[in-house]
Amino acid sequence: MRTLTSWLPISPDSDFSLHNLPYGVFHTGDGKARAGIAIGEHIVDLATAAEAGLFGKRRFFKKIFEQNTLNEFIALGKPVTNRVRQKVLTWLTQVAAPENAARLLVERRKATMLLPVRVGNYTDFYSSIEHATNVGKMFRPDNPLLPNWRWIPVGYHGRASSVVLSDTPIRRPWGQILLKDQETPVFSPSRQLDFELEMAFVIGKDSPLGTPIAVDKADEYIFGLVLFNDWSARDIQRWEYVPLGPFLGKNFGSSISPWIVPLEALKPFRVKGPKQQPAPLSYLQHGSKGGHNFDIALEVGIRGEGAGTETIVARSNSKYLYWSMAQQLAHHTVNGCNVCVGDLMASGTISGPQSGTYGSMLELSWGGKEPIRLNDGTTRTFLLDGDTVTMRGWAAKGGLRVGFGEVSGAVLKALD
Ligand code: MN
């Protein structure tokens, strides 16, 4: 990989390096949404860049980049989106600052981010074998990993309406809860509010109803990735999940990070996934030998209300996922189910093999039995009102860094 340099000062620690160039939607107080590409502490304003003729077809691209979501842009297809990415890279890597530099750049701290895509459908998988085994041990001690788990990339259809942008506060939900040793449920605010450390991919191409996406064609349909916090109410979930799976314990809020990292930026960080035993059915077998997982370091921090410092409670990595994104998408569509531009497919909680790598409070506190200690001296089994949960993710290798920024959210007390 050649080292890229820019006339624009970019810290080597920045998530938003020349190799990344993630897409987002923002405004600067005037309420006018625009698409942008993050670079270091700045954003390249794509609407203004289009007006300046950076991509040709000025009026066409200006209109595309003045939308309040990226859906129309993404739907143009990878040959176009990758050409835009290349034009921005060329503009940033000229020897000297171009004379339109000040006009095209916005300071990131002055921008308000918006939800980058209109999410039509959201699916959540359950692709970490460590997470599925840990949860299984707590919910069904005799039978932790169900017999279908190593055959099927298990998932459920979630709720797109409650996918929110990072920094949106999350209200503690009310629901039905069966308390210990009781036979009838109570109606109460959740006492076991949790986060789930996940990554999600954004669909970049429509597929026709009735036509499966082959596992080795899946990358054509994956536009990019974001960080994903699938807020969960464990007590509501435990009472409702049999017989039809997650429902109100999950659909009160899921948060995503504002910048979509394109799949192309993650190419240097592809790694092999865990060995799959037994070998999956043929429609789930990767034809190519290359890495189908991504080496993306992940961390979760909790800061209590009024506490000065955050405590990192978990460090994980997306490379632990048993089922790859390509296998998830092949399985999702094998029956002919179609996908649409902007659909969101989340991985499921990403836990690693050791206790510090677990991606939920449920696992970190082992069902509430082993409280964890924060830097401010307080302890947690599940989340308290006022807690802010922040997830970060980055890939780094030989001086290259491609990061996701963060997804953050604070817990609001339940409605009276
Ligand atoms: Mn989940």
Side-chain angles (χ1 to χ4, degrees):
M1 180 70 62
R2 83 199 152 94
T3 310
L4 300 167
T5 53
S6 178
W7 43 267
L8 181 69
I10 303 162
S11 161
D13 303 328
S14 177
D15 276 352
F16 306 129
S17 65
L18 290 163
H19 298 275
N20 190 347
L21 305 184
Y23 297 99
V25 178
F26 71 100
H27 72 79
T28 49
D30 55 3
K32 284 187 193 158
R34 278 160 299 162
I37 282 182
I39 181 70
E41 295 304 313
H42 290 83
I43 298 171
V44 180
D45 175 341
L46 292 176
T48 309
E51 210 171 12
L54 210 64
F55 316 118
K57 298 203 280 187
R58 290 168 199 250
R59 296 234 310 265
F60 173 80
F61 278 109
K62 183 167 183 284
K63 193 163 161 280
I64 289 279
F65 291 132
E66 283 176 347
Q67 310 292 316
N68 58 11
T69 68
L70 293 167
N71 293 56
E72 272 191 43
F73 170 64
I74 294 170
L76 296 174
K78 290 205 182 198
V80 178
T81 58
N82 283 338
R83 196 169 61 82
V84 164
R85 176 178 165 76
Q86 194 53 53
K87 292 283 183 192
V88 170
L89 183 62
T90 304
W91 184 79
L92 283 166
T93 53
Q94 297 170 69
V95 177
E99 45 89 18
N100 58 9
R103 198 150 57 87
L104 270 57
L105 290 177
V106 172
E107 286 180 66
R108 269 203 297 122
R109 62 184 181 86
K110 292 185 179 164
T112 301
M113 300 307 297
L114 302 170
L115 200 64
V117 283
R118 187 174 58 252
V119 181
N121 292 278
Y122 148 55
T123 299
D124 196 22
F125 287 89
Y126 193 50
S127 288
S128 155
I129 197 164
E130 287 85 2
H131 173 70
T133 305
N134 287 339
V135 174
K137 277 182 193 165
M138 284 176 252
F139 281 32
R140 298 175 303 275
D142 343 319
N143 194 10
L145 199 63
L146 290 169
N148 60 6
W149 199 92
R150 288 172 182 270
W151 295 99
I152 294 177
V154 170
Y156 68 95
H157 287 128
R159 184 82 196 157
S161 65
S162 51
V163 174
V164 297
L165 189 67
S166 178
D167 293 334
T168 307
I170 298 294
R171 178 80 60 188
R172 180 182 298 273
W174 283 75
Q176 285 198 29
I177 298 164
L178 186 68
L179 296 173
K180 200 170 155 36
D181 303 322
Q182 298 296 306
E183 277 168 20
T184 53
V186 297
F187 182 61
S188 154
S190 170
R191 300 149 195 217
Q192 297 189 334
L193 185 61
D194 202 351
F195 60 79
E196 289 193 333
L197 170 63
E198 306 195 18
M199 300 206 69
F201 61 93
V202 176
I203 293 292
K205 183 176 168 181
D206 291 351
S207 73
L209 180 63
T211 308
I213 297 171
V215 65
D216 290 319
K217 295 271 189 225
D219 286 359
E220 293 174 20
Y221 292 82
I222 299 173
F223 178 72
L225 278 69
V226 291
L227 299 169
F228 191 90
N229 182 354
D230 183 20
W231 301 90
S232 299
R234 299 303 178 190
D235 37 12
I236 298 172
Q237 183 185 354
R238 187 179 288 107
W239 171 233
E240 76 178 358
Y241 88 105
V242 177
L244 274 184
F247 190 32
L248 305 188
K250 296 285 190 174
N251 68 6
F252 58 93
S254 309
S255 308
I256 66 169
S257 51
W259 295 102
I260 304 176
V261 173
L263 191 62
E264 287 65 30
L266 294 167
K267 204 172 166 202
F269 309 103
R270 283 183 176 268
V271 288
K272 272 197 156 61
K275 187 169 168 53
Q276 296 183 318
Q277 200 65 262
L281 296 180
S282 63
Y283 78 91
L284 290 170
Q285 283 180 17
H286 294 288
S288 60
K289 288 269 178 278
H292 303 289
N293 273 18
F294 295 92
D295 184 356
I296 300 167
L298 300 166
E299 69 177 28
V300 186
I302 297 178
R303 183 165 45 82
E305 190 165 29
T309 61
E310 179 189 79
T311 306
I312 301 301
V313 296
R315 289 189 171 82
S316 188
N317 193 303
S318 71
K319 71 183 176 188
Y320 296 135
L321 288 171
Y322 187 88
W323 296 108
S324 69
M325 294 188 301
Q327 289 174 320
Q328 291 165 9
L329 191 51
H331 183 69
H332 198 307
T333 59
V334 74
N335 63 347
C337 174
N338 54 331
V339 296
C340 309
V341 168
D343 285 358
L344 207 54
M345 309 275 168
S347 58
T349 307
I350 306 174
S351 293
Q354 301 91 24
S355 63
T357 63
Y358 297 166
S360 65
M361 291 300 287
L362 179 69
E363 296 162 271
L364 290 164
S365 74
W366 207 255
K369 291 197 193 84
E370 296 165 22
I372 58 170
R373 184 166 291 279
L374 304 189
N375 294 338
D376 63 5
T378 61
T379 59
R380 293 290 183 285
T381 49
F382 292 94
L383 298 171
L384 299 181
D385 293 343
D387 282 352
T388 298
V389 178
T390 304
M391 298 173 176
R392 302 180 188 86
W394 65 93
K397 183 179 167 185
L400 290 187
R401 186 179 168 100
V402 170
F404 288 77
E406 58 184 44
V407 60
S408 194
V411 177
L412 299 178
K413 74 178 178 62
L415 294 173
D416 292 330

